[in-house]
Amino acid sequence: MNFSEFLHEELIIPKMKANSQEEVFKRLYELLLENGYVKESFLEGIKKREQSFPTGLLLNKYNVALPHTDVEHVLKSAVAVATLSKPIAFKNMANPQQDVNVNIVFMIALNESGGQVKMLQQIVQLIQNDSLLEELMRAESGKEIIKVIKSVSHEN
């Protein structure tokens, strides 16, 4: 399982303008739903899981969120991505009482149990690279975002 195989241009929104976590979730969910990757129950699953298990990660310059939910809400595995035009507050994965201003969201939709841990490990490895995050934030298109991620994920 290679993370970059789950990226599709139609599931990526560069420089998304949003005012809330809810708005980010809804926009990415709509892309996943319209393209046949998830069931209608996916959005509710993401919201519920995020309340119990926050996914904001405090990094160096750019912070990341990795929202995901259970396999029963997913038809085909994929990862929807948004780089945000301005940071949105997410609860910190390590300390749920703390907010993290997130710049990049990777919404993970996997249809096989057990795959999430491997997928999360690959993403966490990628997002520790500050220059990669910088390039993602500068990217103007989904194609460009996929190219940036593939250039790094082949090094691993």
Side-chain angles (χ1 to χ4, degrees), residues 61-64 82-84 86-88 101-105 137:
K61 186 173 179 187
Y62 298 106
N63 301 317
V64 172
T83 57
L84 305 175
K86 67 173 199 248
I88 299 284
N101 286 324
V102 166
N103 308 91
I104 304 171
V105 178
M137 291 302 294

Side-chain angles (χ1 to χ4, degrees), residues 57-71:
L57 288 171
L58 191 57
L59 300 168
N60 294 324
K61 186 173 179 187
Y62 298 106
N63 301 317
V64 172
L66 306 172
H68 53 283
T69 190
D70 301 318
V71 295

Side-chain angles (χ1 to χ4, degrees), residues 31-124:
L31 290 179
L32 287 162
L33 185 68
E34 286 164 14
N35 288 286
Y37 290 96
V38 300
K39 299 175 185 174
E40 286 189 18
S41 60
F42 184 82
L43 182 59
E44 201 49 47
I46 284 278
K47 288 182 197 173
K48 276 190 179 148
R49 191 174 193 296
E50 190 73 25
Q51 286 172 348
S52 306
F53 304 101
T55 61
L57 288 171
L58 191 57
L59 300 168
N60 294 324
K61 186 173 179 187
Y62 298 106
N63 301 317
V64 172
L66 306 172
H68 53 283
T69 190
D70 301 318
V71 295
E72 70 258 17
H73 304 294
V74 180
L75 298 169
K76 297 188 296 196
S77 295
V79 178
V81 182
T83 57
L84 305 175
S85 62
K86 67 173 199 248
I88 299 284
F90 275 69
K91 293 293 179 196
N92 189 337
M93 188 186 289
N95 175 5
Q97 278 68 52
Q98 180 185 36
D99 281 348
V100 174
N101 286 324
V102 166
N103 308 91
I104 304 171
V105 178
F106 294 95
M107 183 176 277
I108 303 164
L110 291 181
N111 66 357
E112 59 181 81
S113 53
Q116 281 180 331
V117 170
K118 197 168 185 179
M119 175 74 72
L120 288 169
Q121 287 171 334
Q122 286 185 33
I123 294 173
V124 166

